[in-house]
Amino acid sequence: MEVLFNKINVRDLLSSADISDPSSPLSAPDLRLLINRLESHSQSIKAQVRSYLLSHQPEFSSLFSLCSDVVSRTDDISEDFNGLMRLISDCPIDVEISRAVSDIDKRTKEVKVKKELLGLVTTIWGLTERFRTTKEAIRSGKLKFAAQELRELKVAVRLSDSDGNQNEGEPLVYGLLKKEWHESFEEIREVLSKFVDQAIRYDPKMSRVHVKYQLGAHGTEVRLFEVFEALDVLGLLDYGLARVADLMIKYIITRVINHGSPIAFVEELSKDSENIVEAILKIEQSSGHGVENQDSETIFSEIILVVKFTCEHICFQNAHWIHSFGRLTWPRISELIISNVLSKVMPEDAYEVSNFQKVIDSTTEFENALKDMSFISVSDSTEQRLSNFAENVEVHFAAKRKVDILAKARKMLLSCNFAIPEEHIRKGEIGSSDSITKDPSDHIVDLLFLSDRCFVSTAASELMKLVHQTLQDVCMSSARVALELYHAARDALLLYEAIIPVKQEKQLDGINQVAVLMHNDFFYLSQEVLGLAFQYRSDFPDSLKERAVFLDLAPRFQMKAEDILQREIQVVIYNLKEAIDGADGFQNTHQVQQFQSAKFSIDQVIFILEKVRIIWELILSSSTYYKSMGAAVQSVLSRIVKDILFLDDMAAEETLQLQKLIIMMLEGLSPLLGSLSAASREMKLLETTSSCLDDLLPSLQKVRKLAELLDMPLRSITAAWESGNLFNCGFTLAEVKDFIKAIFADSPLRKECLWRIENTNF
């Protein structure tokens, strides 16, 4: 049968010669041959299949018989199943079985519920009896037993600290039991509170504490020890001791700490047979001591006596009770000691910090004694409040000093009004810078890294005094104090930058002394901070030598100084520009009205520059005054030259008027130019960069030459250009040509001169 399952390859039916070219189509004879061969092959397959079936006839017969039996049995099973279904539908036994099972389950649950209810009733009865027994114990004075019962009953009635009402799904009776527990708890708490108040009493008038050990109420005797045991069992120990602790601090501890002189304690005990019935602690005035003897050691010893009395006669030497009492009182006691004792002996100067070590030692001994009595925890460092404060006294002192330094600096800066003293104003009116440099006033300061001096505000000079004083303290302080004081010095310097520019902001928009004073202050501070580290570094504590840096502030202040100065220069230049704008480009000055307008503008320029000179020459250093005033004057001269050379037509009379205006301006500026020359000579004496007015004011020589050109013949102007004189004064070829065209009419001579000028090479 393999032939049935093998694929027939059509090409195998053809001869090799017939399929020599697989891509060529088959011819008709080939197709007929292929059909014949396929038919022959099909007949062969059919013969093989028939032969196979005949040879396996018994097997096929058995297989067909087996299939027939299976079908017959399937029909029988189907008939039986249909009969069963008819039987079930006629008599539903499953319903009866389900009903019986449901009934059994119901009765079982009823029995279980009755058993649970019986158990619940038994439990409730038992709890009710225990509540009754507890209340009887409270009334009979068996407080510890009652407390233990209440603690167990709290668990039995499923009561937690957060429970307020009955929980959802809980039996109503549990809500009643919880209410019963709360009533019993309130009753025993009230009883215990009354016993504590009865046992421990304070007499503020007699200054004493009275402790009574045998207590009684309604014929019942109770011992104070049992009262505290009951409070401890119920978790109410803090509640019971709270009032005791509060009154102890109020009437005893506070008096010990705040009393002006040492006091003495007298302890009295009353015994009955072998037991102590009463204990009394009285405070008496100690004789023979003055207020000056009331130091921290004395106060600590007096507090120790009070704590010992409390441990022995109130807490019965129970470590847990003592620590509970200490936890209630120690935060307030330590705060009182810090604020009323340690803070008052805080060092005021850096050299006094080392003397505070005695106080640190006594504070440590005091807390160790409290630890030995279990009054404060041995392991919890947070309870060492006094030691932490005393050991960090350097930090407290440094923090206090830092606050004081910054407060002083802030007050100083806010109160400074940048007013120049009258004597300096009078000197400024004279116009002599020598009188300023020789003035011994604190307002005149030397610039450390420049051979120059300048005028500074009171704020800057006083601020640097404060910084120097602070850094001197740094040299004498410990590492921690030195670090805080170093930061205080830096912050004080930064306060100037934060306060003064904001406070004087409005003044920076006008021409006044505030802006240049502020510039000087920032420049002076930048120079000073450069020298601070070098001046004090060698005396700084070793840990601070690498951290103390002031150099980073110098570029910051210097940049701020430059910004303020440039802003003020721009304000001056703007005012000068507005004044020159009134001249209307110096046009038609041969007309009376235009000439007067131009003359007024020149007068305004001279007035503004003279005002600026009086302020700047007095306040600024020579080099800064020289450069800043030069920038302002140069802006004026260049603008006037530009406006005049821009005129495209000038009459002969107009040129004379323009010449007159230029001469008048130069005469008005002569004092200012004289001050610049003096500043230049002073800079040369101080061995700074050599300067002259021609370098500072390139337009000055050009203005002077322009005044000459306005009254000069054409040939002379041409000769001046050919000789290079005009070029050296700053004139350009275009300016000279336009100037000639504006003054002289068109003529062969003008053409010749213009040609000569154009063909002149330098």
Side-chain angles (χ1 to χ4, degrees):
M1 292 300 290
E2 289 80 3
V3 68
L4 297 177
F5 303 100
N6 292 334
K7 295 180 180 178
I8 300 175
N9 191 345
V10 176
R11 294 182 181 276
D12 295 339
L13 300 178
L14 298 174
S15 63
S16 59
D18 298 331
I19 55 173
S20 58
D21 186 5
S23 62
S24 63
L26 296 176
S27 63
D30 292 336
L31 292 175
R32 283 193 299 271
L33 177 62
L34 180 62
I35 291 171
N36 293 332
R37 289 182 178 180
L38 286 174
E39 289 178 353
S40 175
H41 193 70
S42 175
Q43 292 297 328
S44 177
I45 292 173
K46 290 179 179 179
Q48 291 180 12
V49 170
R50 183 173 177 277
S51 175
Y52 182 82
L53 291 175
L54 290 175
S55 63
H56 292 83
Q57 182 179 2
E59 287 84 352
F60 281 107
S61 298
S62 177
L63 178 62
F64 292 150
S65 176
L66 181 62
C67 291
S68 177
D69 291 343
V70 170
V71 171
S72 177
R73 289 178 185 178
T74 303
D75 293 339
D76 293 341
I77 292 172
S78 177
E79 186 67 26
D80 292 342
F81 180 76
N82 291 332
L84 179 62
M85 292 301 295
R86 285 193 299 272
L87 179 63
I88 292 174
S89 61
D90 295 339
C91 183
I93 188 172
D94 58 326
V95 176
E96 295 181 3
I97 294 173
S98 176
R99 289 174 182 173
V101 171
S102 177
D103 186 58
I104 293 171
D105 185 56
K106 180 179 179 182
R107 294 183 183 278
T108 302
K109 288 181 178 179
E110 289 178 354
V111 172
K112 184 178 179 181
V113 169
K114 289 180 180 180
K115 287 183 179 180
E116 290 178 352
L117 289 175
L118 181 60
L120 178 62
V121 170
T122 304
T123 302
I124 293 172
W125 174 258
L127 293 175
T128 304
E129 283 297 311
R130 291 182 68 181
F131 275 119
R132 184 182 60 80
T133 304
T134 300
K135 289 186 177 181
E136 290 180 356
I138 294 173
R139 297 185 182 95
S140 62
K142 299 178 181 179
L143 300 178
K144 184 178 180 180
F145 170 77
Q148 291 172 342
E149 283 292 297
L150 279 177
R151 183 174 62 182
E152 295 174 1
L153 285 170
K154 182 178 182 180
V155 178
V157 300
R158 304 176 184 178
L159 184 67
S160 63
D161 295 335
S162 59
D163 282 345
N165 299 313
Q166 181 181 352
N167 295 330
E168 185 178 355
E170 190 179 57
L172 179 62
V173 68
Y174 272 93
L176 299 175
L177 290 174
K178 290 179 180 180
K179 182 179 179 182
E180 182 74 16
W181 187 91
H182 281 296
E183 291 177 355
S184 301
F185 182 79
E186 291 297 327
E187 181 179 354
I188 192 172
R189 183 168 64 175
E190 184 178 354
V191 169
L192 293 173
S193 179
K194 289 181 179 178
F195 277 137
V196 172
D197 292 341
Q198 180 183 351
I200 304 171
R201 299 191 306 274
Y202 294 88
D203 187 351
K205 295 182 179 180
M206 300 297 294
S207 299
R208 66 179 185 176
V209 184
H210 184 251
V211 182
K212 186 178 180 182
Y213 295 101
Q214 297 295 338
L215 309 172
H218 308 292
T220 302
E221 287 191 1
V222 180
R223 297 178 65 247
L224 179 60
F225 181 80
E226 295 174 353
V227 173
F228 283 121
E229 280 187 323
L231 288 169
D232 196 5
V233 170
L234 290 171
L236 294 175
L237 188 61
D238 287 351
Y239 170 80
L241 290 175
R243 179 172 171 79
V244 178
D246 182 66
L247 296 178
M248 181 68 77
I249 292 175
K250 183 178 180 180
Y251 295 121
I252 305 298
I253 301 297
T254 302
R255 182 174 180 184
V256 170
I257 295 175
N258 294 334
H259 204 274
S261 60
I263 55 179
F265 290 95
V266 178
E267 185 176 321
E268 297 180 358
L269 302 177
S270 299
K271 294 185 177 181
D272 181 8
S273 350
E274 296 297 329
N275 298 323
I276 299 175
V277 179
E278 291 181 343
I280 300 174
L281 180 67
K282 294 192 298 183
I283 299 177
E284 295 182 354
Q285 182 67 41
S286 180
S287 59
H289 295 279
V291 176
E292 64 278 1
N293 294 324
Q294 180 73 342
D295 54 13
S296 58
E297 292 184 5
T298 304
I299 293 175
F300 292 159
S301 63
E302 293 171 352
I303 294 176
I304 289 293
L305 293 175
V306 176
V307 173
K308 283 183 177 179
F309 178 84
T310 303
C311 295
E312 294 177 5
H313 302 294
I314 296 180
C315 297
F316 299 97
Q317 298 294 352
N318 185 305
H320 174 61
W321 299 354
I322 294 172
H323 187 62
S324 178
F325 189 85
R327 191 170 57 251
L328 293 169
T329 57
W330 180 237
R332 294 171 61 186
I333 293 175
S334 59
E335 187 63 33
L336 286 171
I337 294 174
I338 290 173
S339 59
N340 294 279
V341 180
L342 297 182
S343 296
K344 292 182 178 179
V345 295
M346 186 72 66
E348 295 294 334
D349 296 311
Y351 66 86
E352 294 181 358
V353 175
S354 59
N355 298 331
F356 195 75
Q357 187 60 43
K358 182 180 179 181
V359 178
I360 296 176
D361 296 339
S362 62
T363 301
T364 303
E365 293 176 2
F366 172 61
E367 286 188 338
N368 289 336
L370 296 179
K371 290 178 184 178
D372 294 339
M373 292 184 286
S374 300
F375 191 77
I376 60 176
S377 174
V378 177
S379 58
D380 190 357
S381 60
T382 59
E383 293 192 7
Q384 301 175 13
R385 299 168 181 266
L386 302 185
S387 297
N388 293 336
F389 180 88
E391 290 175 359
N392 292 327
V393 66
E394 293 180 336
V395 178
H396 298 305
F397 166 76
K400 183 175 180 296
R401 279 297 309 277
K402 183 177 180 180
V403 171
D404 292 342
I405 290 169
L406 294 181
K408 185 176 181 180
R410 182 176 180 274
K411 181 179 179 181
M412 181 192 309
L413 294 172
L414 289 175
S415 61
C416 179
N417 57 7
F418 279 74
I420 302 177
E422 290 294 330
E423 61 271 17
H424 293 288
I425 296 177
R426 288 194 293 270
K427 290 174 184 177
E429 290 174 350
I430 297 173
S432 173
S433 60
D434 294 337
S435 61
I436 298 176
T437 56
K438 296 177 182 178
D439 196 303
S441 170
D442 292 338
H443 293 278
I444 308 301
V445 294
D446 292 314
L447 300 175
L448 288 181
F449 297 94
L450 296 175
S451 300
D452 210 344
R453 311 182 92 190
C454 68
F455 194 103
V456 297
S457 67
T458 305
S461 61
E462 293 297 325
L463 181 63
M464 281 312 305
K465 287 181 181 179
L466 181 62
V467 170
H468 282 288
Q469 181 181 354
T470 303
L471 294 180
Q472 289 172 6
D473 290 341
V474 169
C475 299
M476 299 186 300
S477 303
S478 61
R480 288 191 293 182
V481 176
L483 181 61
E484 289 296 321
L485 294 182
Y486 156 70
H487 285 296
R490 279 182 60 94
D491 292 345
L493 290 168
L494 293 174
L495 274 178
Y496 186 96
E497 182 185 18
I499 293 176
I500 296 300
V502 177
K503 181 185 176 186
Q504 304 293 341
E505 176 67 24
K506 294 182 179 179
Q507 300 295 325
L508 299 179
D509 295 329
I511 300 175
N512 52 59
Q513 74 272 12
V514 173
V516 287
L517 263 180
M518 198 182 302
H519 159 269
N520 282 2
D521 287 353
F522 274 112
F523 193 73
Y524 166 65
L525 294 176
S526 71
Q527 293 285 302
E528 286 293 312
V529 296
L530 285 173
L532 288 178
F534 299 103
Q535 183 176 356
Y536 295 102
R537 183 185 297 274
S538 60
D539 296 326
F540 281 170
D542 293 337
S543 60
L544 191 62
K545 287 182 178 179
E546 298 301 324
R547 302 178 64 178
V549 179
F550 290 95
L551 296 179
D552 60 311
L553 297 179
R556 181 173 179 171
F557 288 161
Q558 192 165 358
M559 186 179 298
K560 191 70 175 179
E562 187 63 24
D563 291 343
I564 293 172
L565 181 62
Q566 291 303 320
R567 176 177 176 178
E568 182 66 7
I569 292 173
Q570 292 305 315
V571 169
V572 172
I573 292 175
Y574 177 78
N575 282 270
L576 293 171
K577 178 181 177 297
E578 284 193 329
I580 297 174
D581 288 343
D584 194 22
F586 296 96
Q587 299 181 27
N588 302 319
T589 52
H590 58 287
Q591 299 176 7
V592 177
Q593 185 177 357
Q594 288 297 106
F595 178 79
Q596 293 298 328
S597 177
K599 181 177 180 299
F600 179 76
S601 295
I602 295 296
D603 290 340
Q604 286 292 103
V605 168
I606 295 172
F607 174 78
I608 293 172
L609 289 175
E610 185 63 18
K611 177 182 178 182
V612 173
R613 181 191 71 81
I614 292 174
I615 296 174
W616 288 9
E617 186 181 18
L618 169 66
I619 297 176
L620 293 174
S621 64
S622 299
S623 58
T624 306
Y625 167 73
Y626 182 78
K627 295 175 183 178
S628 303
M629 183 58 74
V633 176
Q634 171 63 20
S635 68
V636 172
L637 298 179
S638 61
R639 170 66 185 278
I640 292 175
V641 171
K642 179 181 177 182
D643 286 355
I644 294 176
L645 291 177
F646 189 74
L647 297 174
D648 56 356
D649 186 17
M650 290 182 280
E653 185 180 354
E654 188 175 357
T655 58
L656 295 177
Q657 295 292 68
L658 289 173
Q659 185 183 48
K660 183 178 180 181
L661 288 173
I662 293 175
I663 294 173
M664 181 181 66
M665 180 189 68
L666 293 174
E667 289 177 352
L669 293 178
S670 58
L672 188 150
L673 298 176
S675 69
L676 290 176
S677 298
S680 177
R681 290 192 299 272
E682 185 175 348
M683 291 166 60
K684 291 178 181 179
L685 291 175
L686 296 174
E687 297 181 353
T688 58
T689 57
S690 59
S691 301
C692 63
L693 285 182
D694 292 339
D695 297 331
L696 180 67
L697 304 174
S699 296
L700 178 60
Q701 191 176 2
K702 192 173 183 180
V703 168
R704 288 172 174 167
K705 198 64 179 178
L706 180 60
E708 296 177 8
L709 291 177
L710 288 169
D711 191 24
M712 188 179 291
L714 179 57
R715 292 185 184 276
S716 299
I717 296 175
T718 305
W721 174 259
E722 290 176 334
S723 66
N725 190 6
L726 295 182
F727 182 80
N728 294 333
C729 291
F731 287 93
T732 64
L733 175 62
E735 288 176 343
V736 174
K737 289 173 61 179
D738 292 341
F739 180 77
I740 291 174
K741 291 177 181 180
I743 294 180
F744 301 100
D746 189 14
S747 65
L749 178 61
R750 192 181 82 169
K751 291 180 181 179
E752 178 188 352
C753 291
L754 290 175
W755 182 85
R756 289 169 57 188
I757 291 172
E758 289 176 354
N759 290 275
T760 302
N761 296 321
F762 298 107

